[in-house]
Short mmCIF file of all heavy atoms in Angstrom, two decimals:
data_model
loop_
_atom_site.label_atom_id
_atom_site.label_comp_id
_atom_site.label_asym_id
_atom_site.label_seq_id
_atom_site.Cartn_x
_atom_site.Cartn_y
_atom_site.Cartn_z
N VAL G 1 98.58 106.99 121.08
CA VAL G 1 98.88 107.65 119.81
C VAL G 1 98.95 106.61 118.69
O VAL G 1 98.45 106.84 117.58
CB VAL G 1 100.20 108.44 119.90
CG1 VAL G 1 100.63 108.93 118.53
CG2 VAL G 1 100.04 109.62 120.85
N TRP G 2 99.55 105.46 118.99
CA TRP G 2 99.66 104.42 117.95
C TRP G 2 98.29 103.89 117.54
O TRP G 2 98.03 103.67 116.35
CB TRP G 2 100.53 103.27 118.44
CG TRP G 2 100.42 102.06 117.55
CD1 TRP G 2 99.79 100.90 117.80
CD2 TRP G 2 100.95 101.94 116.22
NE1 TRP G 2 99.88 100.04 116.74
CE2 TRP G 2 100.59 100.65 115.75
CE3 TRP G 2 101.69 102.78 115.40
CZ2 TRP G 2 100.94 100.20 114.49
CZ3 TRP G 2 102.04 102.33 114.13
CH2 TRP G 2 101.68 101.06 113.70
N VAL G 3 97.40 103.68 118.53
CA VAL G 3 96.06 103.16 118.20
C VAL G 3 95.32 104.14 117.30
O VAL G 3 94.72 103.75 116.28
CB VAL G 3 95.26 102.89 119.50
CG1 VAL G 3 93.81 102.61 119.17
CG2 VAL G 3 95.87 101.71 120.24
N GLU G 4 95.37 105.44 117.64
CA GLU G 4 94.68 106.43 116.83
C GLU G 4 95.34 106.57 115.45
O GLU G 4 94.66 106.68 114.43
CB GLU G 4 94.69 107.78 117.55
CG GLU G 4 93.97 108.89 116.80
CD GLU G 4 92.49 108.65 116.64
OE1 GLU G 4 91.94 107.79 117.37
OE2 GLU G 4 91.87 109.28 115.77
N MET G 5 96.68 106.54 115.43
CA MET G 5 97.39 106.65 114.16
C MET G 5 97.10 105.44 113.27
O MET G 5 96.90 105.58 112.06
CB MET G 5 98.90 106.77 114.41
CG MET G 5 99.73 106.95 113.16
SD MET G 5 101.49 106.96 113.51
CE MET G 5 101.76 105.26 113.99
N ASP G 6 97.08 104.24 113.89
CA ASP G 6 96.80 103.03 113.12
C ASP G 6 95.39 103.08 112.54
O ASP G 6 95.17 102.69 111.39
CB ASP G 6 96.96 101.81 114.03
CG ASP G 6 96.63 100.51 113.31
OD1 ASP G 6 97.33 100.18 112.35
OD2 ASP G 6 95.65 99.85 113.70
N ARG G 7 94.44 103.61 113.31
CA ARG G 7 93.06 103.69 112.82
C ARG G 7 92.95 104.67 111.66
O ARG G 7 92.35 104.36 110.63
CB ARG G 7 92.13 104.11 113.96
CG ARG G 7 90.66 104.11 113.58
CD ARG G 7 89.80 104.47 114.77
NE ARG G 7 89.91 105.88 115.08
CZ ARG G 7 89.17 106.84 114.52
NH1 ARG G 7 88.29 106.52 113.59
NH2 ARG G 7 89.33 108.10 114.88
N GLN G 8 93.55 105.85 111.82
CA GLN G 8 93.42 106.89 110.80
C GLN G 8 94.23 106.55 109.55
O GLN G 8 93.70 106.53 108.43
CB GLN G 8 93.87 108.24 111.36
CG GLN G 8 92.99 108.77 112.47
CD GLN G 8 91.62 109.18 111.95
OE1 GLN G 8 91.43 109.41 110.77
NE2 GLN G 8 90.65 109.27 112.84
N ILE G 9 95.52 106.31 109.74
CA ILE G 9 96.40 106.08 108.59
C ILE G 9 96.08 104.74 107.94
O ILE G 9 96.10 104.60 106.71
CB ILE G 9 97.87 106.15 109.01
CG1 ILE G 9 98.19 107.55 109.52
CG2 ILE G 9 98.80 105.78 107.86
CD1 ILE G 9 99.62 107.75 109.95
N GLY G 10 95.76 103.73 108.75
CA GLY G 10 95.41 102.43 108.18
C GLY G 10 94.17 102.53 107.31
O GLY G 10 94.13 102.00 106.19
N ASN G 11 93.14 103.22 107.81
CA ASN G 11 91.93 103.40 107.00
C ASN G 11 92.23 104.18 105.73
O ASN G 11 91.69 103.89 104.66
CB ASN G 11 90.86 104.14 107.82
CG ASN G 11 90.26 103.26 108.90
OD1 ASN G 11 90.35 102.04 108.84
ND2 ASN G 11 89.69 103.87 109.92
N TYR G 12 93.09 105.19 105.85
CA TYR G 12 93.40 106.01 104.68
C TYR G 12 94.15 105.18 103.62
O TYR G 12 93.80 105.21 102.44
CB TYR G 12 94.24 107.22 105.07
CG TYR G 12 94.60 108.08 103.90
CD1 TYR G 12 93.74 109.09 103.46
CD2 TYR G 12 95.78 107.88 103.19
CE1 TYR G 12 94.06 109.87 102.36
CE2 TYR G 12 96.10 108.66 102.10
CZ TYR G 12 95.23 109.65 101.69
OH TYR G 12 95.54 110.41 100.59
N VAL G 13 95.19 104.47 104.04
CA VAL G 13 96.00 103.72 103.08
C VAL G 13 95.18 102.63 102.41
O VAL G 13 95.23 102.44 101.19
CB VAL G 13 97.25 103.13 103.78
CG1 VAL G 13 98.01 102.21 102.83
CG2 VAL G 13 98.16 104.24 104.27
N ARG G 14 94.40 101.91 103.21
CA ARG G 14 93.56 100.86 102.62
C ARG G 14 92.49 101.46 101.70
O ARG G 14 92.21 100.93 100.63
CB ARG G 14 92.90 100.03 103.74
CG ARG G 14 93.85 99.10 104.45
CD ARG G 14 93.13 98.22 105.44
NE ARG G 14 92.68 98.99 106.60
CZ ARG G 14 93.41 99.18 107.70
NH1 ARG G 14 94.63 98.66 107.76
NH2 ARG G 14 92.95 99.87 108.72
N GLY G 15 91.91 102.58 102.13
CA GLY G 15 90.92 103.23 101.28
C GLY G 15 91.50 103.72 99.97
O GLY G 15 90.89 103.57 98.90
N LYS G 16 92.72 104.28 100.03
CA LYS G 16 93.37 104.76 98.81
C LYS G 16 93.71 103.62 97.86
O LYS G 16 93.63 103.76 96.64
CB LYS G 16 94.64 105.55 99.15
CG LYS G 16 94.37 107.00 99.48
CD LYS G 16 93.74 107.72 98.30
CE LYS G 16 93.33 109.13 98.65
NZ LYS G 16 92.61 109.81 97.54
N PHE G 17 94.10 102.48 98.43
CA PHE G 17 94.40 101.32 97.58
C PHE G 17 93.16 100.95 96.76
O PHE G 17 93.24 100.75 95.54
CB PHE G 17 94.85 100.15 98.44
CG PHE G 17 94.91 98.84 97.68
CD1 PHE G 17 95.98 98.56 96.85
CD2 PHE G 17 93.89 97.91 97.80
CE1 PHE G 17 96.03 97.36 96.14
CE2 PHE G 17 93.94 96.72 97.10
CZ PHE G 17 95.02 96.44 96.27
N TRP G 18 92.00 100.85 97.43
CA TRP G 18 90.79 100.48 96.72
C TRP G 18 90.33 101.59 95.78
O TRP G 18 89.80 101.30 94.69
CB TRP G 18 89.68 100.12 97.72
CG TRP G 18 89.89 98.81 98.39
CD1 TRP G 18 90.21 98.59 99.70
CD2 TRP G 18 89.86 97.51 97.77
NE1 TRP G 18 90.36 97.23 99.93
CE2 TRP G 18 90.14 96.56 98.76
CE3 TRP G 18 89.61 97.07 96.46
CZ2 TRP G 18 90.17 95.20 98.50
CZ3 TRP G 18 89.64 95.72 96.20
CH2 TRP G 18 89.93 94.80 97.21
N GLU G 19 90.53 102.83 96.17
CA GLU G 19 90.14 103.93 95.28
C GLU G 19 90.97 103.93 94.00
O GLU G 19 90.45 104.10 92.90
CB GLU G 19 90.27 105.27 96.00
CG GLU G 19 89.70 106.43 95.18
CD GLU G 19 89.92 107.77 95.83
OE1 GLU G 19 90.66 107.83 96.84
OE2 GLU G 19 89.39 108.77 95.33
N VAL G 20 92.29 103.75 94.16
CA VAL G 20 93.16 103.68 92.97
C VAL G 20 92.72 102.54 92.07
O VAL G 20 92.61 102.71 90.84
CB VAL G 20 94.63 103.50 93.40
CG1 VAL G 20 95.50 103.13 92.19
CG2 VAL G 20 95.16 104.77 94.04
N LEU G 21 92.47 101.38 92.65
CA LEU G 21 92.09 100.20 91.85
C LEU G 21 90.75 100.41 91.15
O LEU G 21 90.63 100.18 89.94
CB LEU G 21 92.03 98.97 92.75
CG LEU G 21 91.75 97.63 92.06
CD1 LEU G 21 92.87 97.29 91.09
CD2 LEU G 21 91.59 96.53 93.10
N ILE G 22 89.75 100.89 91.88
CA ILE G 22 88.40 101.03 91.31
C ILE G 22 88.39 102.13 90.25
O ILE G 22 87.86 101.94 89.14
CB ILE G 22 87.39 101.33 92.42
CG1 ILE G 22 87.25 100.12 93.34
CG2 ILE G 22 86.02 101.70 91.82
CD1 ILE G 22 86.43 100.40 94.60
N VAL G 23 88.96 103.30 90.56
CA VAL G 23 88.95 104.41 89.61
C VAL G 23 89.78 104.07 88.38
O VAL G 23 89.38 104.34 87.24
CB VAL G 23 89.46 105.70 90.28
CG1 VAL G 23 89.65 106.81 89.25
CG2 VAL G 23 88.51 106.15 91.37
N GLY G 24 90.94 103.45 88.57
CA GLY G 24 91.78 103.09 87.43
C GLY G 24 91.12 102.09 86.51
O GLY G 24 91.11 102.27 85.28
N VAL G 25 90.54 101.03 87.08
CA VAL G 25 89.88 100.00 86.27
C VAL G 25 88.65 100.58 85.58
O VAL G 25 88.41 100.32 84.38
CB VAL G 25 89.51 98.79 87.14
CG1 VAL G 25 88.63 97.82 86.37
CG2 VAL G 25 90.77 98.08 87.63
N ALA G 26 87.84 101.36 86.32
CA ALA G 26 86.63 101.93 85.72
C ALA G 26 86.96 102.89 84.59
O ALA G 26 86.33 102.85 83.52
CB ALA G 26 85.82 102.66 86.80
N THR G 27 87.97 103.74 84.79
CA THR G 27 88.36 104.69 83.74
C THR G 27 88.91 103.97 82.52
O THR G 27 88.55 104.29 81.38
CB THR G 27 89.41 105.68 84.28
OG1 THR G 27 88.90 106.31 85.46
CG2 THR G 27 89.72 106.75 83.24
N ALA G 28 89.78 102.98 82.74
CA ALA G 28 90.33 102.23 81.61
C ALA G 28 89.22 101.50 80.85
O ALA G 28 89.23 101.46 79.62
CB ALA G 28 91.38 101.23 82.12
N ALA G 29 88.25 100.94 81.58
CA ALA G 29 87.14 100.24 80.92
C ALA G 29 86.31 101.21 80.07
O ALA G 29 85.93 100.89 78.93
CB ALA G 29 86.26 99.57 81.98
N VAL G 30 86.04 102.41 80.61
CA VAL G 30 85.30 103.41 79.84
C VAL G 30 86.06 103.81 78.58
O VAL G 30 85.49 103.88 77.48
CB VAL G 30 85.01 104.65 80.72
CG1 VAL G 30 84.49 105.80 79.87
CG2 VAL G 30 84.00 104.31 81.80
N PHE G 31 87.36 104.03 78.71
CA PHE G 31 88.17 104.42 77.55
C PHE G 31 88.24 103.31 76.51
O PHE G 31 88.20 103.58 75.30
CB PHE G 31 89.58 104.82 78.00
CG PHE G 31 89.64 106.11 78.77
CD1 PHE G 31 90.79 106.47 79.45
CD2 PHE G 31 88.55 106.97 78.81
CE1 PHE G 31 90.86 107.67 80.15
CE2 PHE G 31 88.61 108.17 79.51
CZ PHE G 31 89.76 108.52 80.19
N VAL G 32 88.35 102.06 76.96
CA VAL G 32 88.41 100.93 76.03
C VAL G 32 87.08 100.80 75.28
O VAL G 32 87.06 100.61 74.05
CB VAL G 32 88.76 99.63 76.77
CG1 VAL G 32 88.55 98.42 75.87
CG2 VAL G 32 90.21 99.66 77.26
N VAL G 33 85.98 100.88 76.01
CA VAL G 33 84.67 100.75 75.38
C VAL G 33 84.44 101.85 74.35
O VAL G 33 83.87 101.60 73.27
CB VAL G 33 83.56 100.77 76.46
CG1 VAL G 33 82.18 100.90 75.82
CG2 VAL G 33 83.62 99.52 77.31
#
């Protein structure tokens, strides 16, 4: 259960971190421009 949970939740949390960073920076850059 831990291996499957680590794979699923770990991928999700890491993916969300990059999504927040990329979407936030891209949106702010568009608004600034």
Side-chain angles (χ1 to χ4, degrees):
V1 171
W2 167 254
V3 169
E4 181 64 17
M5 183 184 69
D6 178 63
R7 185 177 73 87
Q8 294 291 340
I9 297 181
N11 288 340
Y12 179 87
V13 173
R14 287 185 289 271
K16 276 299 174 185
F17 169 79
W18 287 111
E19 188 184 9
V20 168
L21 185 63
I22 293 171
V23 172
V25 171
T27 306
V30 169
F31 290 168
V32 169
V33 170

